[in-house]
Amino acid sequence: MRGYRQRSLRTRIAVGVFGGLAVLITVFGLLALRAISLSTSFALEERLRLAEISADAVDDLIDHTAQQLERTAAFAATWASEEQERQVAHVYDLLTEFERIARFGPEGDLLWEVPRPTEDARWAFGDDPAVRDAFGRLETSIVAPARGEE
């Protein structure tokens, strides 16, 4: 204590001011770090909520599309086989959600597809693993076949 009193008033004031500034800077620095942490947490929670909402919307769309396809298949099954392709073409135009609708026989042979493809746009459905897996199921299946080479 004695050494402190022997210092000049200017030195004591400078030490006091620097000490006060150090405390203030430390307090404000900690507050800034806390604000940044809260802001980051809030942004991440907001992104998580947005991802959950998007996932729910996609799930709803897939469910809706599956229901449409099942209703179309059930509706088409009530027609005579020569009428099915023509009627499904009308349904296809109304739905506008599918790239194509194809009907396969029990052995996996393609009976018809809507819209009718051109020769250069032919798609080898039977060679696709996802389509082959769907043949083993009894229920209507929505399949996204691979496009082009794997």
Side-chain angles (χ1 to χ4, degrees):
M1 186 72 128
R2 183 177 170 121
Y4 181 74
R5 289 184 187 216
Q6 288 178 348
R7 301 200 185 255
S8 69
L9 181 59
R10 181 184 300 175
T11 305
R12 286 188 278 175
I13 291 174
V15 168
V17 168
F18 286 130
L21 284 174
V23 169
L24 284 174
I25 289 172
T26 302
V27 168
F28 284 118
L30 291 174
L31 288 174
L33 289 175
R34 176 75 175 141
I36 290 170
S37 175
L38 288 174
S39 175
T40 304
S41 296
F42 181 75
L44 291 176
E45 287 175 13
E46 197 64 29
R47 286 184 183 183
L48 180 62
R49 277 193 291 266
L50 181 61
E52 289 171 348
I53 290 168
S54 298
D56 288 342
V58 169
D59 284 344
D60 289 344
L61 179 62
I62 290 172
D63 288 343
H64 175 72
T65 304
Q67 288 175 358
Q68 281 186 324
L69 186 59
E70 293 217 2
R71 287 182 187 145
T72 301
F75 191 52
T78 62
W79 299 315
S81 58
E82 62 273 356
E83 270 185 64
Q84 287 180 351
E85 184 178 1
R86 187 175 55 81
Q87 294 292 344
V88 169
H90 290 300
V91 172
Y92 172 83
D93 290 336
L94 290 173
L95 293 179
T96 68
E97 291 189 30
F98 301 105
E99 184 177 334
R100 23 183 107 147
I101 298 175
R103 172 87 192 261
F104 293 94
E107 288 77 36
D109 51 324
L110 179 65
L111 300 176
W112 48 259
E113 67 181 290
V114 174
R116 287 185 181 264
T118 59
E119 279 305 314
D120 57 332
R122 270 269 184 242
W123 201 347
F125 287 107
D127 298 338
D128 193 280
V131 174
R132 273 186 271 132
D133 289 343
F135 288 144
R137 300 187 205 122
L138 294 177
E139 71 275 354
T140 302
S141 300
I142 297 175
V143 179
R147 296 176 184 216
E149 295 180 17
E150 292 184 25

